[in-house]
Amino acid sequence: MQSTRKRGPLAAVLTAVLTAAVGIAVAVAPSAAVAQDNPYERGPNPTNSSIEALRGSYSTSSTSVSSLVSGFGGGTIYYPTSTADGTFGAVVIVPGFTGTQSTISWLGPRLASQGFVVFTIDTNSIYDQPGSRADQLQAALDYLVEDSSVRTRIDGDRLAVMGHSMGGGGSLEATRENPDIKASIPMTPWHTTKTWSSVSTPTLIFGAEADTVAPVGSHSEPFYNTVPSSAEKMYIELNGASHFAPNSSNTTIAKYSISWLKRWVDDDTRFTQFLCPVPTGSAIEESRGTCPLG
């Protein structure tokens, strides 16, 4: 609480002495601020333009993973080509019912160019249910950090999951089973389970206003409402969008996915400005969140 009470002569002298002492302490210990720098920050200071762009500051490459791999159906890994900044956080993205990795492949280079290793996967069967997709997300995370050709580029303690439709339901289930996952982004998610009170992972849910496959009233909204606020959560409903909005390049999904991953996988508070206050705009029908974050 601020106060405007006037100070007497003695108080003024004491204030001057304390101010001088603080100045000396700062002068002789300039490394304190440096020691508090976040070692996981990657890339330049963000702007609206930089996170809405089709590509970020990192050049990227990709490598294919055979469908003969154990635990999931193979996929494509997108990664920053530079190793100058050290390791990166990683995210696995799984498609929805009857979908293949091609339906979410646009997110691969877009997220990787912002400073992440991104694995878009195929499932063992296009008909796999959310529980199976959750298991496959975990298998793909394990593959990334243990067996993949880019494992030395990845920080195995900073992992995330994303998914569309039944893959979105799978991402919720994956975080319930593995609370060490740092962030989850279900996109127009579908699941028969409606209560997620045991989830402790920061969760960003994208709903779609015109979704008739997984209507927000029976899927995205109850999912969001039951994830505890202590987990940190956000809900963004895409204005006029269908269930299949995540299947093609979408600036709103990309912008806030980048910000969510940066905030919780990289612990990069530079991106909080894009999340709090909760996002608004012509592309967003509704948004909610646990602002202030952290």
Side-chain angles (χ1 to χ4, degrees):
M1 184 175 65
Q2 292 183 329
S3 173
T4 57
R5 185 171 58 182
K6 295 181 179 179
R7 298 173 296 170
L10 178 58
V13 172
L14 290 173
T15 299
V17 172
L18 289 171
T19 301
V22 170
I24 292 171
V26 171
V28 299
S31 62
V34 175
Q36 294 174 4
D37 287 348
N38 177 12
Y40 305 130
E41 285 186 5
R42 299 291 182 268
N45 287 333
T47 63
N48 265 303
S49 296
S50 73
I51 60 174
E52 290 178 353
L54 291 177
R55 294 293 181 269
S57 61
Y58 288 94
S59 296
T60 65
S61 187
S62 64
T63 183
S64 297
V65 176
S66 169
S67 61
L68 299 178
V69 70
S70 178
F72 58 101
T76 305
I77 303 172
Y78 303 84
Y79 59 93
T81 56
S82 173
T83 58
D85 292 340
T87 56
F88 298 93
V91 55
V92 175
I93 312 176
V94 65
F97 188 70
T98 74
T100 65
Q101 64 163 318
S102 64
T103 63
I104 37 91
S105 62
W106 69 273
L107 283 160
R110 193 154 183 175
L111 298 181
S113 67
Q114 296 285 346
F116 296 100
V117 174
V118 184
F119 196 5
T120 58
I121 67 171
D122 281 314
T123 47
N124 292 323
S125 162
I126 60 174
Y127 306 111
D128 288 336
Q129 297 297 298
S132 175
R133 290 169 193 265
D135 293 340
Q136 293 176 66
L137 280 167
Q138 185 60 59
L141 288 173
D142 292 342
Y143 176 86
L144 265 184
V145 300
E146 296 172 4
D147 301 311
S148 75
S149 61
V150 299
R151 59 188 178 276
T152 59
R153 299 172 183 263
I154 299 170
D155 182 345
D157 292 326
R158 297 190 293 117
L159 305 176
V161 292
M162 297 177 65
H164 171 235
S165 191
M166 283 193 183
S171 66
L172 279 165
E173 194 160 337
T175 59
R176 185 178 64 185
E177 296 171 357
N178 181 6
D180 290 334
I181 293 172
K182 297 298 184 183
S184 174
I185 305 178
M187 300 177 289
T188 61
W190 187 100
H191 206 296
T192 56
T193 297
K194 306 304 179 183
T195 300
W196 299 93
S197 57
S198 61
V199 168
S200 59
T201 295
T203 301
L204 166 61
I205 296 175
F206 286 103
E209 182 186 18
D211 192 337
T212 58
V213 177
V216 295
S218 55
H219 289 80
S220 294
E221 290 182 328
F223 298 166
Y224 170 82
N225 290 337
T226 57
V227 170
S229 296
S230 58
E232 303 289 1
K233 60 181 180 177
M234 184 162 288
Y235 173 67
I236 296 175
E237 186 174 311
L238 303 172
N239 185 27
S242 78
H243 182 70
F244 302 101
N247 292 158
S248 58
S249 182
N250 186 296
T251 297
T252 303
I253 291 175
K255 175 179 182 177
Y256 297 111
S257 294
I258 291 165
S259 299
W260 197 257
L261 294 171
K262 287 288 189 180
R263 176 62 187 85
W264 298 114
V265 175
D266 289 354
D267 196 26
D268 193 338
T269 56
R270 296 179 299 171
F271 288 81
T272 303
Q273 62 181 302
F274 307 111
L275 300 168
C276 293
V278 293
T280 58
S282 60
I284 297 174
E285 169 65 20
E286 178 191 356
S287 59
R288 313 173 206 169
T290 52
C291 293
L293 300 175

